[in-house]
Amino acid sequence: MKKPMASGLEGVVAAQTALSHVDGERGELIIAGERVETLAGSQRFEQVCARLWNVPEVDLGPARVWAAARLPAWGETEGMDAMRAAVAQLPAKSTAIEVTAAMGVFAAAWARARSGEAPVSPDPRLGHAADVLRMIKGEPARDELVAGLDAYLVAVIDHGMNASTFTARVIASTQSDLVSAVTGAVGALKGPLHGGAPGPVLDMLDAIGSPERATQWLETELAAGRRIMGMGHRIYRVRDPRAAVLETAVERLERAGVTSRRLALARAVERAATQVLAARYPDRSLQANVEFYTAVLLDTVGLPRELFSPLFAAGRVAGWCAHFVEQQATGKLIRPASEYVGPMPN
Ligand code: COA
């Protein structure tokens, strides 16, 4: 007999993985054997790529130069549309190093094009976060800001069987190529229920403006049937551990003299949102997720909100690449069943 359908595949185990472990009850994220709290802030993005790809060392510098020679003509597109189109035109046989380096290069070049500026050529001698920030801003960035972006890229590098990773694994399972898998994954990440939320989180903080307005604003949103961006998670029943990691990264920046314009407001809005959501959904613990403090951290690093989701892709791509290899190694096609509820012929 067929099992009943799990709505949204909630609770369904779709793969075995050695890449990351998400414990939603304890609020724990382990990336290739190490806690996210230990990795973010102490290891560079490339070092965590090496962990995930199971290689001694990763240098993305030469591949950034390779990718800079493959910039597309940017149309009037939104960031994630631009990323999807840019990655889709890479050679199908591109490697994990090339595709990962390319995402950072594309995000930076798109940001420049959007403000009418020419792209900045990569400097292959720099670390990935330092060079991506330099290519966005057009000048070398302070070490503290580089460390902030590095902590972000590491915090989002992999996260169990999230929607975009699952998409990449489905495509990998057909024995298709890495570029196709990453292109599909970008499409999945774009949606506001997944990686499209951090820009709207900043919009929300701006709309609220001051802590005393938070509760009423949030209640009006819920009454209008809208979701509070940056709150709630499919797996976590406690606060997303990455929210704390990113909040810590903002505090580190503040100690280094980089003031966040929104940290105090964000904390007040998070408290109010947790209370308002608890009153509305007493049986479901809806707390801050990664996107809430992504908005605060990347804003403090001085990046525009349109770049938040493209930079999410620039970090998560390393995880997609690792899952691609892991899935193909199983040799098994992912092909679930469906339950037909349409009419039958007479
Ligand atoms: N604001 C308001 N209501 C929310 C909510 C939020 N942030 N998150 C969940 N809910 C509500 C849903 O509306 C639903 O209510 P209903 O039963 O009355 O329809 C209930 O909680 C269960 O939601 P559901 O969508 O089934 O749970 P899920 O596990 O699929 O949701 C998310 C996970 C992330 C999609 C969801 O929490 C959400 O939409 N969050 C906001 C977007 C966001 O921050 N995305 C980034 C995720 S990292």
Side-chain angles (χ1 to χ4, degrees), residues 216-282:
Q216 207 203 327
W217 190 93
L218 293 163
E219 278 171 350
T220 307
E221 284 295 287
L222 288 187
R226 287 189 286 270
R227 292 187 179 207
I228 310 304
M229 291 293 120
M231 299 296 295
H233 199 274
R234 170 61 65 81
I235 306 288
Y236 292 119
R237 292 295 163 256
V238 294
R239 194 176 190 238
D240 185 332
R242 298 166 300 173
V245 163
L246 300 179
E247 191 182 7
T248 303
V250 181
E251 287 167 354
R252 216 178 290 129
L253 276 168
E254 290 218 308
R255 280 198 300 278
V258 185
T259 311
S260 164
R261 287 173 297 166
R262 294 187 172 90
L263 181 59
L265 175 62
R267 284 176 167 153
V269 171
E270 182 195 352
R271 270 195 305 277
T274 310
Q275 281 170 9
V276 167
L277 286 167
R280 178 135 179 155
Y281 298 100

Side-chain angles (χ1 to χ4, degrees), residues 74 76-84 103-104 106-115 136 152 186 189-190 195-203 206 261-262 291 294-296 298-299 302-314:
W74 306 107
E76 294 294 311
T77 41
E78 187 267 342
M80 289 300 273
D81 296 339
M83 295 295 275
R84 191 191 57 230
M103 291 296 242
F106 292 158
W110 174 77
R112 304 240 353 136
R114 205 184 129 256
S115 32
I136 295 169
Y152 172 69
V186 171
L189 188 71
K190 175 185 170 183
V201 167
L202 214 54
D203 297 340
D206 288 351
R261 287 173 297 166
R262 294 187 172 90
E291 310 284 34
T294 290
V296 185
L298 295 185
D299 177 56
L303 296 166
R305 67 193 77 195
E306 296 76 17
L307 252 183
F308 294 176
S309 295
L311 286 173
F312 193 167

Side-chain angles (χ1 to χ4, degrees), residues 115-129:
S115 32
E117 292 165 308
V120 174
S121 299
D123 179 347
R125 296 162 305 175
L126 292 178
H128 193 60

